[in-house]
Amino acid sequence: MADITTGQTTASLWAAACRDFGERPFLVHLDAAGGRAEYSYARFATLIHQAAHAFLEVGVRPGSPVVLQVRNRPEMLAAFFGLTEIGAIVVPLGMGATPAELLRAYRACGAEWAVVEPHLLSTHQRLRTEAGLSAVGVLVVGDQDPNSQASGAGVWSYRELCAQQSSEPVAAPELDGRRVAELLYTSGTTAAPKGVMITHANLVFSGHYGVWQTSLRAGDRLFTTMPACHSNFQLAALTPVLVAGATLVMAEHYSASQFWTQVRRERASVVQLIAMMVRTLLLQPPTTNDTDHQLREALYFMPLSDVEKQTFESRFGLRLMNSYGSTESIGWAVTDPPVGQRRWPSVGRAGLGYEVGIFDHCGNELGPGEIGEFRIKGTPGVSLMLGYHNDPAATASALSEDGWLRTHDEGYRDEDGWFYFVDRSVNLIKRAGENVSASEVECALTSHPLIAEAAVIGVPDPIRDKAVLAYVRLQPGAELSAAEVIEHCRSRLAGYKVPSYVEFVDDFPRTDSMKIEKCRLQRAEPQCRGTDEGNH
């Protein structure tokens, strides 16, 4: 049986792109210092082929896992596609990964190779020595500090090595679309990360799906500040651009003060947004140029309050495309359709190639209005992940033999087939028999004009199982008491949802995709506890 991915790999996508779009711009890179570099499809393909030859020269082979710890820069993308061209397995890790997290990834995937930034070289070498890992060859991207002692055998300059290579495609063995192309480790915001196996067919499918979702065409310019190591970037920006022959505008990092200037200057037509970005953009002083842009679509992920959404759309003259999915679902399997009605706060309808249902804990599908678990049906290895690397038990728990993915996220649908996200199961706080959605409480908190950001968790309560603890980050220079925060919530939430505790923080621990890392939030002594009356 054939599908849209049959016979295709990342290498065949690039061959088609060079044939059809050779001199069109593929990548515009905006670096942190204000520099700008542009690459055509044909020019970037030569960088990919040179990287592929370089990896083969140092000993990387088909099936070899290779860690990539490189920020948003052209070398990250060239190395990514160079590795997949030779059938190796890409293991992208965030720039903020700790030594413990790096060690866990090395041991989990068995990587003997890495491509890293210069300042990370000594860390990777130390892990190799102290942890007794297999000899790890390291390619260093960028200029190495001349005073650094971290060098020696097994270390190469990525730039110099690639410059010596042929710009022709490698004579690689025939690759099957079901071959694993990368291991994407989940963000681990609430639990230990798992290695999601992404195949060549997954990457191809994500490209075609993203083209449908945003009506992407060759003339489009998709602007993203998402980390290149993350699925948001790879599966909803990079591969759709490649399939459509469009242009990817990649910023090295997100800057709220520069964002709209970059959007206007680069004539972006599609942009990626998350809640943190929306909130920080709203904090910027309004200007008469706020609606002066060419954007037609804003891919949006994660919850916002109604007030935040309406204020953003009104101020910037842009409609958010809401969606729901995960690394495991490959595409944003539930999405606002590219044309026609949208029904906020619905996250949309089932996208092309997917079936979606709401189920109870026994696996029975629920009717309209009933809250249960989102489950997504697709094809493992194509429209769904192949599974979790070296974890058959976790794979069997998440992915049924007939292609239903358990998400552990709660939601419901209406009678017309529109879906509504309630919260991730791990974010549901059981309080005296009632389910409290942490996301709902967070949206209520951030509707206060002095609250910039909030994170809500459950903490033990001797009487009611769990109490609601809210971590709050205020706007710069703002002053607000815990009692005032609780009073604000009382006017917007049922009594049992109102936080019992409020903690003020200067910032939050975050993943590389800018999500708050709730598993690292630790409870301190509460500054304020709400009274039992109306609060439990």
Side-chain angles (χ1 to χ4, degrees), residues 368-425:
E370 296 183 280
I371 294 176
E373 181 189 28
F374 273 99
R375 295 191 185 181
I376 299 167
K377 188 174 185 180
T379 304
V382 179
S383 55
L384 299 175
M385 68 169 181
L386 186 62
Y388 294 118
H389 182 248
N390 282 345
D391 199 339
T395 299
S397 176
L399 194 57
S400 69
E401 292 184 0
D402 58 350
W404 280 98
L405 174 70
R406 295 194 61 181
T407 67
H408 302 289
D409 294 336
E410 301 290 310
Y412 64 94
R413 66 173 177 86
D414 64 22
E415 293 183 351
D416 299 323
W418 292 82
F419 288 87
Y420 299 79
F421 177 78
V422 172
D423 213 337
R424 301 198 180 278
S425 296

Side-chain angles (χ1 to χ4, degrees), residues 10 61 77 82 107 113 132 163 179 194 198 219 223 227 245 295 298 307 319 323-324 332 348 357 405 419 421-422 522:
T10 59
R61 293 293 179 261
L77 307 190
R107 286 176 168 164
W113 302 93
R179 179 190 285 268
K194 295 185 287 290
I198 308 290
F223 178 49
L295 291 173
V307 172
R319 186 170 68 157
S323 59
Y324 164 80
W332 297 100
L405 174 70
F419 288 87
F421 177 78
V422 172
Q522 299 295 322

Side-chain angles (χ1 to χ4, degrees), residues 291-350:
T291 58
D292 179 18
H293 55 73
Q294 298 178 37
L295 291 173
R296 73 159 197 278
E297 205 64 88
L299 274 167
Y300 170 74
F301 325 100
M302 300 168 63
L304 279 177
S305 69
D306 292 346
V307 172
E308 289 169 326
K309 186 255 188 186
Q310 292 161 7
T311 302
F312 179 83
E313 291 187 333
S314 175
R315 173 175 164 179
F316 294 105
L318 182 65
R319 186 170 68 157
L320 297 179
M321 171 178 270
N322 211 2
S323 59
Y324 164 80
S326 64
T327 302
E328 290 88 339
S329 70
I330 306 301
W332 297 100
V334 183
T335 179
D336 281 334
V339 295
Q341 180 189 18
R342 294 179 185 177
R343 197 176 288 188
W344 180 274
S346 168
V347 291
R349 303 167 70 96

Side-chain angles (χ1 to χ4, degrees), residues 200-409:
H200 282 263
N202 284 146
L203 294 170
V204 172
F205 174 84
S206 71
H208 287 285
Y209 185 83
V211 166
W212 165 78
Q213 186 184 25
T214 59
S215 301
L216 204 65
R217 296 295 180 266
D220 279 315
R221 297 170 69 85
L222 192 157
F223 178 49
T224 182
T225 61
M226 296 292 108
C229 64
H230 196 263
S231 61
N232 277 5
F233 176 95
Q234 295 179 22
L235 305 179
L238 176 61
T239 55
V241 161
L242 177 57
V243 168
T247 301
L248 181 71
V249 182
M250 176 179 70
E252 186 173 315
H253 70 90
Y254 167 69
S255 167
S257 62
Q258 293 297 312
F259 185 85
W260 287 109
T261 298
Q262 293 170 325
V263 164
R264 284 190 289 268
R265 187 177 63 211
E266 297 298 337
R267 308 182 311 283
S269 53
V270 180
V271 70
Q272 289 187 302
L273 295 172
I274 61 173
M276 181 277 292
M277 295 171 65
V278 169
R279 291 172 182 140
T280 53
L281 290 170
L282 286 173
L283 289 175
Q284 303 307 303
T287 75
T288 56
N289 295 326
D290 282 344
T291 58
D292 179 18
H293 55 73
Q294 298 178 37
L295 291 173
R296 73 159 197 278
E297 205 64 88
L299 274 167
Y300 170 74
F301 325 100
M302 300 168 63
L304 279 177
S305 69
D306 292 346
V307 172
E308 289 169 326
K309 186 255 188 186
Q310 292 161 7
T311 302
F312 179 83
E313 291 187 333
S314 175
R315 173 175 164 179
F316 294 105
L318 182 65
R319 186 170 68 157
L320 297 179
M321 171 178 270
N322 211 2
S323 59
Y324 164 80
S326 64
T327 302
E328 290 88 339
S329 70
I330 306 301
W332 297 100
V334 183
T335 179
D336 281 334
V339 295
Q341 180 189 18
R342 294 179 185 177
R343 197 176 288 188
W344 180 274
S346 168
V347 291
R349 303 167 70 96
L352 291 184
Y354 293 103
E355 295 178 42
V356 181
I358 303 296
F359 293 81
D360 66 18
H361 67 280
C362 295
N364 302 307
E365 188 167 8
L366 301 175
E370 296 183 280
I371 294 176
E373 181 189 28
F374 273 99
R375 295 191 185 181
I376 299 167
K377 188 174 185 180
T379 304
V382 179
S383 55
L384 299 175
M385 68 169 181
L386 186 62
Y388 294 118
H389 182 248
N390 282 345
D391 199 339
T395 299
S397 176
L399 194 57
S400 69
E401 292 184 0
D402 58 350
W404 280 98
L405 174 70
R406 295 194 61 181
T407 67
H408 302 289
D409 294 336

Side-chain angles (χ1 to χ4, degrees), residues 111-122:
E112 296 183 340
W113 302 93
V115 182
V116 305
E117 301 269 354
H119 70 280
L120 298 170
L121 176 57
S122 60

